Amino acid sequence: MHPKDVRYHQEHTWVRVSGNKGTIGITDYAQDALGDIVYIDLPEIDSSVEAGTEITEIESTKSTSSVISPVSGRIIEVNEELSETPEIINEDPYGNGWIAVIEMDNPAEIDDLLDASEYGKLVDEESK
Amino acid sequence: MRLSVLGAGPGGYVAAIRAAQLGARVTVIEDDEVGGTCLNWGCIPTKTIIASTDLLAKVRNLEHFGIDLTGEVIPDLSRIIDRKNKVVSTLVKGIRGLFRSREITLIQGRGVLASPGTISVTLKDGAQETISSDSIIIATGSRPAAIPALPFDGTSILSSTDALNLRQIPKSMLIVGAGVIGSEFACIFSELGTEVTVVEMLPRAVAAEDREISELLEKEFRKKKIKLITNIRVEKTVIKEDGVHALLSDGKEIIAEKVLVSIGRALNTDGIGLEEAGIRRGPKGEIIVNRRMETNIPGIYAIGDVTGGMLLAHKASAEGIVAAGSIMGQDAEIDYSIVPAAIFTSPEIASVGMREDQAAEKEISIGVGRFPFRALGKSHAMGEISGMVKLITDAATDRIIGVHIIGPHASDLIAEAAVAMKAGLTAQELAETIHAHPTLAEAVMEAAEDVHQMAVHLPGNRESRD
């Protein structure tokens, strides 16, 4: 149930790596926990972000939560679709609901992230 | 007792009526229209227009409420302005009627303090009239402030007064100043479909509010695609064929069809004979008064914006009541400890008492409770879940010292907070007061509970709050 082509951060975000670029988003578990997403504050292009820190904020009918970046780098693209239709994140968190593309400072950071089975265990723990 | 009141705004007209109620023979001198800025070019006109833009926002969201609308929703600003004018004229007539019923004489013209106890008035037709009285109340109010870089021309560079009479929706608007007025107009024009940019020289929007409230408003601006640029000034404007070119202090240029200047208000203290009468004024030109609203010249009182402080209609009215009572021999004194204020942005903002940073400056150890509207059943039912109530207490006594609200009907909810503070209630007492369900006011109760981490509808381990 957790896609194998991405790596996971324990704060329920994912990154899909292609060369030195990483596309990031929130996990299916995260979108389910948040409930209906009503707004996402899209990060600014060209801004820098550190792994493990807030890249943006996401607002649902239940709460406002931080989105934690799984990797460090410079934001080179954001998903503009989300500004009008943030519910795409609920519908397709690993696909059309991607949030941003980051040009990674240090692709080796990926090794610190969880794979699908490790993330699966984490989610099982948290849902207990 | 004969009383003359110079200016018929929410300070002057209230003072006039109260003095008449107490038995004075009152003459009011007004250069323009009764009701002053509040009724003619401020509070009431903006709220009337906001009634239209709020409705527009709701209609645009109909599908979420299970209602289909076939056809287009098109705001017609000209008719919105017509409606505004009608509302204003109804209320103006109302005040004139109250004056008549209290046998208050209204003289329309420009009044100047002449010799002690007299006001000389230049009537509309140029004739002069002299009015003598035992006491005088100065209530001449304020007007939109201008700066040299942004000279009002009424067509491209607008004051808030001009903006209330625009009959065509501008494609783009640059609003200079993200205070109360600028923020309200940003929401109005954004909803009408204007591309709005707001520039502010301070670090945040509505900088007089609690920091968290500013942050939440700024987020709502982003949702509405209102562009806010802070820490910036407009250096120069040039009007060209394609709009107003505004040069900013960072060297960038913004081009907009209209520029609205809302940088503050200037006091109407010039040319009314204050110097000649020897009335003492403060560093900002404001008239200095005591707690009975009397100036240094016996028998001459001043109320409202001309006395400085918060430029609020209800503050002026409260001062008018005190001045009238004082003149009529009552033991009246003004109490500024609890003055609620509201901003009619979308969502609304309202506050009373101390901000968190003010409490910190005074080194008061505080308790803070917050409750987001999205945790409230009524908010979900209404489909308005943005915002929060923030309640600040003196930790030593648990007494409420400040309440800050951004969210649906904040301007109505603040009244409860003001009463609670006036009564000296503790957060615990407010929390123990049964609130009707389902109502927005429950958010105030839960915020009071949250001061002691006892809000029932908040999760136990919270990371984020809003």
Side-chain angles (χ1 to χ4, degrees):
Chain A
M1 66 185 261
H2 306 290
K4 292 196 168 58
D5 65 330
V6 301
R7 300 295 292 262
Y8 298 87
H9 188 275
Q10 60 194 22
E11 294 292 339
H12 308 289
T13 48
W14 54 262
V15 56
R16 184 177 286 121
V17 178
S18 162
N20 66 340
K21 290 177 190 163
T23 301
I24 66 153
I26 68 167
T27 66
D28 185 55
Y29 174 77
Q31 72 76 23
D32 187 57
L34 283 168
D36 290 341
I37 291 165
V38 292
Y39 177 70
I40 178 161
D41 213 357
L42 288 173
E44 267 185 53
I45 290 194
D46 263 353
S47 58
S48 295
V49 64
E50 289 288 316
T53 65
E54 178 178 304
I55 183 169
T56 186
E57 229 181 36
I58 208 161
E59 209 180 303
S60 74
T61 52
K62 283 192 210 162
S63 69
T64 300
S65 305
S66 299
V67 176
I68 301 299
S69 182
V71 291
S72 309
R74 189 170 65 94
I75 294 161
I76 55 171
E77 205 180 335
V78 296
N79 187 355
E80 296 286 350
E81 293 278 305
L82 299 179
S83 73
E84 288 300 326
T85 48
E87 61 271 21
I88 304 174
I89 298 174
N90 290 118
E91 290 155 11
D92 190 8
Y94 299 106
N96 292 330
W98 63 278
I99 294 170
V101 178
I102 296 177
E103 191 176 74
M104 294 184 286
D105 292 340
N106 178 13
E109 279 175 353
I110 298 298
D111 300 334
D112 300 335
L113 297 172
L114 311 176
D115 65 21
S117 81
E118 288 165 329
Y119 183 68
K121 278 182 202 145
L122 175 81
V123 166
D124 289 344
E125 276 300 307
E126 288 201 8
S127 353
K128 265 180 198 165
Chain B
M1 171 63 70
R2 292 169 309 159
L3 168 66
S4 297
V5 182
L6 194 53
Y13 91 73
V14 168
I17 292 172
R18 176 51 57 89
Q21 285 172 325
L22 296 173
R25 272 173 46 216
V26 184
T27 302
V28 177
I29 300 108
E30 170 57 55
D31 189 24
D32 208 310
E33 192 49 271
V34 297
T37 296
C38 164
L39 174 46
N40 296 282
W41 315 283
C43 325
I44 298 295
T46 48
K47 266 80 270 177
T48 310
I49 295 170
I50 287 168
S52 291
T53 51
D54 274 356
L55 198 55
L56 188 58
K58 282 203 174 77
V59 171
R60 283 181 172 144
N61 205 18
L62 279 184
E63 57 172 329
H64 287 110
F65 291 86
I67 301 169
D68 282 331
L69 178 78
T70 51
E72 261 185 285
V73 179
I74 305 162
D76 177 349
L77 186 53
S78 189
R79 275 155 54 212
I80 292 173
I81 297 303
D82 286 341
R83 175 173 177 273
K84 180 268 291 181
N85 290 343
K86 209 171 146 189
V87 168
V88 168
S89 95
T90 301
L91 295 173
V92 164
K93 280 183 203 142
I95 295 175
R96 286 170 171 269
L98 289 173
F99 275 9
R100 275 195 301 276
S101 77
R102 300 278 176 195
E103 294 177 1
I104 294 165
T105 308
L106 174 65
I107 296 179
Q108 289 206 275
R110 190 165 178 78
V112 177
L113 294 175
S115 58
T118 63
I119 292 175
S120 86
V121 186
T122 308
L123 301 176
K124 292 284 170 197
D125 61 4
Q128 293 283 327
E129 192 169 328
T130 303
I131 296 148
S132 300
S133 50
D134 306 304
S135 298
I136 290 172
I137 296 177
I138 302 163
T140 45
S142 64
R143 63 187 183 280
I147 44 173
L150 297 154
F152 297 134
D153 67 4
T155 50
S156 298
I157 301 181
L158 312 175
S159 69
S160 55
T161 308
D162 302 324
L164 289 169
N165 287 311
L166 278 182
R167 286 187 177 264
Q168 275 186 335
I169 300 169
K171 287 202 165 53
S172 56
M173 181 181 275
L174 169 64
I175 298 179
V176 183
V180 173
I181 298 169
S183 296
E184 287 185 1
F185 276 105
C187 293
I188 290 172
F189 281 102
S190 160
E191 194 60 54
L192 290 172
T194 302
E195 187 190 313
V196 177
T197 304
V198 188
V199 294
E200 168 59 53
M201 64 177 202
L202 296 172
R204 57 195 173 99
V206 291
E209 297 298 318
D210 194 89
R211 179 173 297 276
E212 287 179 75
I213 301 292
S214 289
E215 285 168 6
L216 286 174
L217 179 67
E218 288 172 7
K219 185 158 87 176
E220 295 301 321
F221 277 0
R222 291 195 291 276
K223 287 187 197 175
K224 293 178 198 299
K225 316 262 187 274
I226 294 169
K227 193 172 175 203
L228 173 70
I229 311 170
T230 53
N231 292 311
I232 209 120
R233 290 167 191 270
V234 175
E235 301 286 356
K236 202 174 88 172
T237 48
V238 183
I239 299 169
K240 294 186 183 170
E241 195 109 306
D242 60 342
V244 185
H245 292 233
L247 180 68
L248 305 183
S249 49
D250 64 354
K252 288 191 182 131
E253 188 182 71
I254 290 178
I255 304 170
E257 186 183 329
K258 305 280 182 192
V259 175
L260 167 62
V261 183
S262 50
I263 51 162
R265 296 185 64 83
L267 309 184
N268 292 331
T269 47
D270 294 335
I272 54 170
L274 296 180
E275 289 79 14
E276 294 78 356
I279 291 173
R280 204 183 298 146
R281 289 158 70 189
K284 290 174 184 160
E286 77 280 12
I287 299 174
I288 294 173
V289 289
N290 60 22
R291 294 181 76 85
R292 299 169 60 243
M293 307 315 297
E294 195 168 16
T295 67
N296 60 309
I297 307 294
I300 300 184
Y301 294 72
I303 59 172
D305 291 358
V306 285
T307 62
M310 289 179 277
L311 307 186
L312 294 168
H314 46 278
K315 174 212 166 237
S317 299
E319 290 173 345
I321 299 276
V322 168
S326 200
I327 288 163
M328 296 310 288
Q330 289 181 341
D331 192 14
E333 282 199 353
I334 191 76
D335 173 11
Y336 294 118
S337 62
I338 295 158
V339 183
I343 309 177
F344 293 83
T345 40
S346 167
E348 293 178 359
I349 293 172
S351 59
V352 59
M354 246 182 261
R355 302 186 303 253
E356 192 171 341
D357 63 326
Q358 288 172 320
E361 273 166 31
K362 293 192 173 177
E363 298 184 346
I364 300 172
S365 165
I366 59 167
V368 179
R370 297 177 183 81
F371 191 79
F373 282 101
R374 71 186 66 240
L376 200 65
K378 183 62 180 283
S379 289
H380 282 269
M382 294 167 65
E384 294 181 51
I385 59 170
S386 290
M388 70 155 177
V389 176
K390 176 176 177 180
L391 191 141
I392 301 172
T393 59
D394 181 333
T397 60
D398 196 38
R399 281 201 180 180
I400 302 160
I401 57 171
V403 178
H404 307 272
I405 306 175
I406 178 167
H409 296 275
S411 62
D412 295 316
L413 296 175
I414 204 68
E416 173 183 6
V419 172
M421 283 174 57
K422 181 87 181 175
L425 293 192
T426 62
Q428 186 68 29
E429 285 168 322
L430 181 55
E432 285 169 0
T433 306
I434 298 175
H435 283 61
H437 176 75
T439 60
L440 294 171
E442 290 172 284
V444 180
M445 175 184 73
E446 296 244 15
E449 290 176 336
D450 188 50
V451 172
H452 305 291
Q453 290 80 48
M454 296 300 273
V456 168
H457 292 91
L458 287 180
N461 53 343
R462 267 170 292 150
E463 282 176 25
S464 76
R465 299 167 130 178
D466 77 330

